[in-house]
Amino acid sequence: MQWEAVIGLELHAQLATRTKIFSGASTAYGAEANTQACAIDLGMPGMLPVLNERAVRFAVRLGLALGAEVAGRSVFARKNYFYPDLPKGYQISQYEIPVVGTGHLDIELEDGSRKRIGVTRAHLEEDAGKSLHEGFTGMSGIDLNRAGTPLLEIVSEPELRSAKEAVAYMKKMHSLVRYLGICDGNMQEGSFRCDANVSVRPVGQLEFGTRAELKNLNSFRFVERAINFEIERQIELIEDGGTVVQETRLFDPDRGETRSMRGKEEAHDYRYFPDPDLLPLEITPGFIEEVRAELPELPDAKRARFAGDYGLPDYDAGVLTSSRELADYFEAVASSCGDAKLAANWVMGEFSGALNKAGLDIADSPVDAEALAGLLRRIVDETISGKIAKEVFEAMWQGEGDADTVIADRGLEQVTDSSAIEAMVDEAIAANPQQLEQYRAGKTKLMGFFVGQVMKASGGKANPQQVNEILKQRLDG
Amino acid sequence: MSIDADEVAQIAHLARLAVNAEVSQAHAQNLSEILAFVERLGAVDTTGVEPLAHPLEMTQRLRPDEVCEDNQRERFQAIAPLTEDGHYLVPRVIE
Amino acid sequence: MHDRTIAELGAALERGECSSVELTRSTLDAIEQAAELNAFITLTPETALAEAAAADAARARGEAGPLTGVPIAHKDIFCTEGTRTSCASRMLDGFVPPYDAFVVSQLRAAGAVSVGKTNMDEFAMGSSNETSWYGAVRNPWDTGTVPGGSSGGSAAAVAARLVPGATGTDTGGSIRQPAALTGISGLKPTYGRISRYGMIAFASSLDQAGPMATTAEDLAIMLQAMAGFDRRDSTCVDQPVPDYRAALGDGNLRGLRVGLPREYFEADGVDSEVARAVEAAVEALREGGAEIREISLPNTGLAVPVYYVIAPAEASSNLSRFDGVRYGHRCDDPADLEDLYKRSRGEGFGEEVKRRIMVGTYALSAGYYDAYYLKAQQVRRMIRDDFARAFEEVDVIAGPTAPSTAFALGAKSDDPVQMYLSDIFTIAVNLAGLPALSVPAGFGGGRPVGLQLIGNHFDEACLLGAAHGYQQLTDWHTRRPSLEG
């Protein structure tokens, strides 16, 4: 039987606000335990929540970027359950009426085609604290610094059909929230998290199969591996005559498998009801327009513009707009050096390669956009060749200074003096009479051999175009 | 609606309340009476009536995103039952 | 000295008849002598005397207001920085908050001297003050009877003239019902008039702080200090605070339109003595120039059942934070996390609190939410709409505050539904978020009867003016119990 996977993702984006969603405590990452948990975050008696304006603004930004309806009126509810990292005994979340309604996100599949994925909703809620199980003899330690950090939970329709599609969707959303400046996207620090609902069904069947909810998917790679494992597991189970049970499963990255949490969780009865400490959130058309005006250019629009304005191939435009940082870097290089195609090649090639190799983010790159543009300008004005430029870039990366300094220090300036090149050409021809004879007998591809000889003699610095021209004159003449 | 001792136990578990076996029966009876009393609401025709969550129908006020709370961990933990190294302690949570 | 009204004490202090320190000392003495009432959970003589000295100094600098140097008491539901705030629960027996409630800081800023924290029903859940972990409060009119609840300690303290004023909170009648049962005046302001910051929550959409004192004028003085906008409470309303004392006027009731809800006077279970006293009070209002009209509040009978869904539902969630982890009672040697939760909460909460948590948990649980909670919220709107229609025709609504006078200790403790019905006339007001007050209106069998006046949203000034006018025509508010025992 042919099987089809049905996948929906719940993404949690921590909003990049300065303070908590309902208190004025800082959300800065990495502080000492409980030093950023104020009386409200701790659920002290008599403490009350007041909603952070920027969290609302950020939610509206996402709503607009997803082409979604922003609710004029949404409601905060309490989700009641007991857990030590949940100080009030309830999580404030949006339940029946979320701030962001139905929207969509277009993703690109491997074959280059596009697919539109429906977004069911996105709602504001508060994060919980952290339980630490190591280091306290027989006890767990509770750190509530994270408690009350604003989250936007973004729920997709079950329209993803493979692990690859799921990852493409997640990456696109990850890029989008960073474009919008609403989330730093740091997955190691838990700023962007994913739960996946996975089921399988025979191809052609309309009803969904029973789904499992996968948790602990802390990287794109884990998402892909966990979903693939889960799809295989469910198909095998059904084919062996078993049935899938609805449950939460934890991904174990060490063993590459998902594990049932059954027995460790009880049937939940969250007793949702509207939080009486908060009033309905009203978002006016005026506020929405204000947020719309502050929206940055979004990835799809930027990609179209890169392709149109800079004449870049669609693929290149797609790569360069995959993150806002990369796009900004490219644009800075391109406008400063004046050659967008050259800039695109270098940013996607040498520069991205070096970043990857060093495991660095753009912000930490030892070669900033202006420095790279300085190098490319030397290619454009023919001070150095593209090949020499790679050597210069390497030296710049190692901290030897800007392009001009490296070129001067290492004496890499291109030789463009025709008489000097002519001398080298004559020398090369004189030194290889046999090849000259063959060439003249019609083996014209030996041209490359002579170019190589001249370039070698010049230490790579001779202007290749001039070398070509002069050689041609001499050989053919 | 009549609530029996088993249901009291279930509700008490949801609410994380240890309920004494001796009073459990009394609770069952009280809860049954209270529920019977509030059940008269069932007879009211509320077709088309919007639920009212707040007496004044106002909307939520928003707070500027500015840090206005400083670290008061020592004061807060001075009144905590059990802490270590800045953490609140609970019996080991198994995940 | 300590047995005068706030207005009189303010004037006496201003004239230099005594100092605030002297007044505070005599207040503390009086409280000690009346220990049998069990009106206080915690006394704070040192800080009280320090505040009194500061008040005297402020007066010497010419910086005194009407409350400067006047001793008051706070219900033990308001957090007081550095002073135990127990909510009359074993759960918070050792809880010393690191912050002050809004009401506490407002009254301190107005110069009032806080002498201590008054007894109450545990977490404000009760109508008799018998659910306190610190024991029942006695009604000074008859120590064999209850003072009402949940602000029973504040009511008893004011009624016995231990303090001229005290704070209370009112979720379903917790200021007005004890005010009625102890023969004092008590005001529940409009929902949102006073910030709930630092006030331990029972039912967030119903809770409201308010003043308790002997006269409407004193209520106006206290409300003036307690009201005000506070950004820390999202449900607090940003509305200008009028000059309540100035609005009392000369007590003239001419032109005041008073509505009498048919249903309040037809209700079962209203004592005939209560009915007689209230009818006499209405007659006094008419003689004072008020225009009396009959009105209808058709959903009156539904208020108590609505309340006993909504209030426990909110409470069940509000009280989840008391889990033995960050503050409050924690059981000994928990075997595991679940044991920690269940025993800490099981030991920390009394039976009535547990009962209400369970009712609320049940009403919100899967499968019952629509039938109970949602239905109750719908009927809540119907009740509010009844009042809105009534206030198109009248300025205030009058009726009994409670269906009976003070009952004997223990009389209703085994029958929660009967106890809940003590609040039949007060509860609808909280559901609708309206302001209402109770003023002394005579006696039945030697026990005080309260007249309830209900006003429109944010019309406390009109309400206080009507009560003040009534108190110009009657002297019930000047009657005091004798405490020889």
Side-chain angles (χ1 to χ4, degrees):
Chain A
M1 192 181 299
Q2 284 284 89
W3 295 92
E4 175 181 61
V6 175
I7 304 157
L9 298 188
E10 287 171 17
L11 300 174
H12 287 88
Q14 252 183 24
L15 297 178
T17 53
R18 288 192 267 277
T19 64
K20 306 275 175 86
I21 183 167
F22 297 119
S23 84
S26 169
T27 54
Y29 182 80
E32 239 187 273
N34 290 308
T35 54
Q36 288 178 173
C38 72
I40 297 167
D41 307 327
L42 293 174
M44 301 283 275
M47 291 298 105
L48 298 166
V50 185
L51 183 59
N52 184 336
E53 193 258 5
R54 202 188 306 267
V56 175
R57 187 171 285 268
F58 283 1
V60 172
R61 272 194 207 170
L62 183 79
L64 293 174
L66 295 176
E69 193 181 319
V70 174
R73 194 186 149 86
S74 60
V75 172
F76 286 94
R78 293 184 182 178
K79 178 181 182 178
N80 293 283
Y81 64 97
F82 286 88
Y83 204 71
D85 64 15
L86 188 72
K88 300 185 295 297
Y90 57 84
Q91 178 196 29
I92 306 177
S93 179
Q94 296 191 303
Y95 183 54
E96 281 185 336
I97 315 177
V99 59
V100 174
T102 322
H104 57 81
L105 188 68
D106 292 336
I107 61 168
E108 191 166 324
L109 305 182
E110 276 189 320
D111 63 4
S113 67
R114 294 211 177 178
K115 182 173 175 181
R116 173 159 289 193
I117 305 300
V119 173
T120 317
R121 60 184 280 166
H123 66 255
L124 283 164
E125 62 184 25
E126 57 179 344
D127 208 345
K130 283 180 183 165
S131 307
L132 291 98
H133 310 300
E134 307 298 325
F136 305 95
T137 36
M139 308 282 278
S140 290
I142 310 298
D143 173 9
L144 297 169
N145 279 349
R146 198 179 66 180
T149 300
L151 291 178
L152 199 54
E153 178 173 329
I154 311 159
V155 183
S156 84
E157 292 288 330
E159 292 173 353
L160 300 158
R161 291 291 172 267
S162 68
K164 284 219 161 18
E165 285 187 22
V167 170
Y169 168 84
M170 186 177 169
K171 281 188 170 162
K172 187 75 182 279
M173 195 66 83
H174 183 252
S175 157
L176 182 62
V177 295
R178 292 165 74 217
Y179 258 93
L180 293 169
I182 64 174
C183 171
D184 68 16
N186 190 322
M187 292 169 75
Q188 281 85 47
E189 293 175 4
S191 300
F192 191 77
R193 315 197 283 263
C194 176
D195 296 337
N197 288 307
V198 179
S199 65
V200 297
R201 64 181 172 189
V203 170
Q205 179 182 305
L206 287 179
E207 309 91 85
F208 294 138
T210 306
R211 66 171 199 266
E213 187 182 6
L214 311 185
K215 290 202 177 281
N216 197 29
L217 312 176
N218 299 327
S219 72
F220 295 119
R221 215 159 49 89
F222 287 1
V223 170
E224 182 163 351
R225 282 169 63 200
I227 292 176
N228 277 333
F229 175 88
E230 183 61 20
I231 294 171
E232 283 306 309
R233 186 189 73 85
Q234 291 186 10
I235 293 173
E236 270 177 39
L237 185 66
I238 299 169
E239 287 184 340
D240 290 350
T243 48
V244 176
V245 287
Q246 186 164 340
E247 62 179 352
T248 303
R249 297 179 70 86
L250 207 62
F251 179 62
D252 179 346
D254 296 331
R255 311 178 66 165
E257 59 184 35
T258 65
R259 239 193 358 250
S260 175
M261 290 177 73
R262 226 172 338 160
K264 287 176 187 164
E265 57 166 356
E266 55 181 305
H268 287 298
D269 184 345
Y270 290 124
R271 289 160 284 137
Y272 282 101
F273 76 108
D275 190 331
D277 286 331
L278 290 160
L279 298 161
L281 170 62
E282 188 183 57
I283 297 178
T284 61
F287 184 82
I288 293 174
E289 287 321 305
E290 195 186 307
V291 176
R292 197 189 300 281
E294 72 189 22
L295 280 185
E297 184 180 29
L298 297 179
D300 289 347
K302 201 182 276 282
R303 176 177 184 161
R305 180 169 64 82
F306 279 16
D309 291 6
Y310 298 121
L312 300 178
D314 183 57
Y315 174 80
D316 292 6
V319 171
L320 290 170
T321 53
S322 63
S323 86
R324 188 173 171 177
E325 291 77 10
L326 190 64
D328 288 349
Y329 188 91
F330 159 73
E331 285 213 275
V333 175
S335 75
S336 177
C337 82
D339 186 334
K341 283 190 179 163
L342 183 67
N345 286 336
W346 270 81
V347 170
M348 295 191 320
E350 295 299 310
F351 177 70
S352 291
L355 277 182
N356 273 340
K357 205 171 139 197
L360 290 177
D361 288 333
I362 288 175
D364 307 320
S365 164
V367 177
D368 66 19
E370 194 36 54
L372 181 59
L375 172 64
L376 301 191
R377 275 198 296 273
R378 294 297 159 260
I379 300 176
V380 173
D381 68 13
E382 300 188 339
T383 306
I384 53 172
S385 66
K387 199 172 166 202
I388 290 293
K390 290 181 184 176
E391 182 188 335
V392 177
F393 178 79
E394 181 62 30
M396 289 165 69
W397 191 268
Q398 298 305 329
E400 288 183 29
D402 64 14
D404 290 343
T405 308
V406 174
I407 292 166
D409 287 357
R410 297 196 174 190
L412 296 174
E413 193 165 331
Q414 191 159 251
V415 178
T416 49
D417 172 1
S418 347
S419 57
I421 294 174
E422 275 166 15
M424 285 188 275
V425 166
D426 291 342
E427 212 170 292
I429 292 173
N432 297 287
Q434 214 178 330
Q435 281 79 359
L436 176 68
E437 201 173 314
Q438 287 173 349
Y439 180 90
R440 291 203 166 139
K443 202 171 175 186
T444 51
K445 67 176 180 191
L446 277 169
M447 179 74 177
F449 166 77
F450 285 106
V451 171
Q453 293 301 305
V454 176
M455 292 308 288
K456 199 169 152 193
S458 74
K461 293 185 288 183
N463 180 309
Q465 214 176 335
Q466 278 175 293
V467 173
N468 266 296
E469 276 165 20
I470 294 168
L471 258 174
K472 213 165 162 49
Q473 269 172 27
R474 291 287 203 272
L475 292 170
D476 296 348
Chain B
M1 176 65 71
S2 178
I3 300 275
D4 60 26
D6 282 352
E7 283 171 290
V8 168
Q10 263 175 40
I11 300 165
H13 172 68
L14 255 186
R16 298 296 185 277
L17 289 172
V19 175
N20 199 322
E22 303 129 51
V23 297
S24 172
Q25 196 50 50
H27 274 305
Q29 199 192 326
N30 287 155
L31 256 55
S32 300
E33 284 166 17
I34 294 166
L35 291 170
F37 174 68
V38 302
E39 242 149 49
R40 68 178 71 175
L41 294 177
V44 182
D45 181 7
T46 51
T47 318
V49 180
E50 270 291 300
L52 180 70
H54 271 99
L56 304 175
E57 287 178 280
M58 304 184 305
T59 54
Q60 180 60 36
R61 196 165 49 236
L62 302 176
R63 175 179 63 77
D65 184 27
E66 286 157 14
V67 176
C68 60
E69 301 279 359
D70 49 10
N71 173 21
Q72 296 197 56
R73 185 175 78 181
E74 305 320 315
R75 297 183 74 205
F76 293 146
Q77 297 201 343
I79 53 171
L82 194 58
T83 61
E84 186 182 314
D85 201 14
H87 293 75
Y88 295 97
L89 292 191
V90 296
R92 185 78 164 251
V93 182
I94 308 134
E95 275 187 344
Chain C
M1 190 69 200
H2 61 267
D3 55 1
R4 301 198 209 168
T5 68
I6 292 173
E8 288 163 359
L9 287 173
L13 287 164
E14 189 57 33
R15 286 194 302 269
E17 285 173 30
C18 71
S19 70
S20 174
V21 169
E22 288 162 351
L23 179 58
T24 302
R25 280 219 177 89
S26 90
T27 299
L28 289 164
D29 286 348
I31 293 169
E32 215 162 287
Q33 280 161 31
E36 60 160 336
L37 295 179
N38 199 24
F40 283 82
I41 291 174
T42 305
L43 286 174
T44 52
E46 292 86 11
T47 54
L49 289 167
E51 284 174 10
D56 286 335
R59 188 174 298 282
R61 290 194 305 271
E63 292 166 7
L67 277 166
T68 303
V70 175
I72 56 148
H74 286 297
K75 185 177 183 178
D76 206 21
I77 199 168
F78 293 102
C79 288
T80 40
E81 185 175 345
T83 297
R84 173 176 67 174
T85 301
S86 72
C87 234
S89 180
R90 183 185 179 195
M91 180 59 85
L92 292 178
D93 184 40
F95 178 63
V96 178
Y99 44 81
D100 276 327
F102 177 79
V103 161
V104 171
S105 33
Q106 287 286 103
L107 282 166
R108 178 178 303 120
V113 172
S114 168
V115 295
K117 309 293 292 288
T118 60
N119 204 343
M120 55 183 280
D121 278 300
E122 184 182 7
F123 282 102
M125 297 179 188
S127 307
S128 66
N129 221 307
E130 293 168 292
T131 69
S132 170
W133 166 250
Y134 303 94
V137 176
R138 310 281 172 149
N139 189 325
W141 289 93
D142 176 350
T143 52
T145 64
V146 303
S150 66
S151 311
S154 288
V158 173
R161 303 308 197 259
L162 306 179
V163 283
T167 55
T169 61
D170 191 316
T171 305
S174 281
I175 287 175
R176 293 158 289 155
Q177 186 257 14
L181 268 50
T182 58
I184 64 162
S185 304
L187 169 69
K188 180 209 101 75
T190 308
Y191 181 80
R193 176 73 284 182
I194 299 176
S195 169
R196 295 185 293 118
Y197 178 87
M199 179 175 119
I200 299 176
F202 162 13
S204 310
S205 78
L206 302 162
D207 294 344
Q208 184 60 212
M212 304 173 83
T214 53
T215 65
E217 184 182 21
D218 284 2
L219 294 180
I221 294 170
M222 286 184 74
L223 179 63
Q224 198 73 46
M226 294 165 75
F229 181 55
D230 180 13
R231 297 209 146 267
R232 297 168 301 179
D233 173 4
S234 295
T235 62
C236 177
V237 181
D238 188 4
Q239 275 236 351
V241 180
D243 185 337
Y244 292 116
R245 204 174 177 185
L248 293 175
D250 58 2
N252 193 331
L253 296 174
R254 222 175 319 264
L256 182 76
R257 300 172 301 167
V258 177
L260 300 184
R262 196 176 306 135
E263 295 79 6
Y264 285 17
F265 292 86
E266 287 167 357
D268 294 337
V270 179
D271 283 3
S272 56
E273 289 166 321
V274 170
R276 260 200 302 281
V278 171
E279 277 156 22
V282 170
E283 203 40 50
L285 292 172
R286 191 198 307 275
E287 281 165 17
E291 181 192 322
I292 311 294
R293 298 183 185 183
E294 185 175 285
I295 58 164
S296 175
L297 298 170
N299 294 297
T300 295
L302 297 172
V304 179
V306 166
Y307 178 87
Y308 278 95
V309 172
I310 292 173
E314 292 184 7
S316 70
S317 176
N318 281 335
L319 269 60
S320 291
R321 65 188 60 200
F322 302 103
D323 59 4
V325 177
R326 297 164 315 286
Y327 50 80
H329 179 74
R330 179 178 179 120
C331 67
D332 289 332
D333 307 317
D336 54 27
L337 184 65
E338 193 167 303
D339 187 40
L340 167 71
Y341 284 150
K342 289 186 172 174
R343 277 202 291 131
S344 298
R345 291 165 59 78
E347 294 164 6
F349 294 138
E351 294 308 320
E352 178 62 21
V353 171
K354 282 189 235 180
R355 185 149 55 216
R356 296 205 197 187
I357 290 174
M358 286 195 282
V359 170
T361 302
Y362 183 83
L364 289 176
S365 65
Y368 298 105
Y369 179 83
D370 287 5
Y372 290 102
Y373 190 77
L374 208 62
K375 188 82 179 181
Q377 298 280 46
Q378 288 176 308
V379 180
R380 180 176 191 176
R381 181 177 295 274
M382 292 162 62
I383 289 168
R384 195 200 59 167
D385 291 350
D386 282 356
F387 281 109
R389 272 189 294 275
F391 283 115
E392 287 171 9
E393 293 175 42
V394 299
D395 302 310
V396 298
I397 294 170
T401 305
S404 72
T405 56
F407 44 90
L409 284 156
K412 298 184 182 178
S413 10
D414 295 330
D415 190 343
V417 172
Q418 274 313 304
M419 185 72 90
Y420 297 171
L421 286 169
S422 315
D423 298 334
I424 188 161
F425 298 121
T426 47
I427 269 175
V429 165
N430 298 78
L431 293 171
L434 297 164
L437 51 72
S438 178
V439 287
F443 291 85
R447 295 171 191 170
V449 172
L451 168 72
Q452 177 174 237
L453 297 175
I454 305 167
N456 207 347
H457 290 127
F458 296 101
D459 207 3
E460 284 84 359
C462 169
L463 211 46
L464 289 164
H468 181 64
Y470 175 71
Q471 291 183 338
Q472 303 307 295
L473 301 169
T474 58
D475 66 355
W476 304 116
H477 58 285
T478 65
R479 308 287 180 93
R480 62 185 66 186
S482 62
L483 267 181
E484 286 84 64

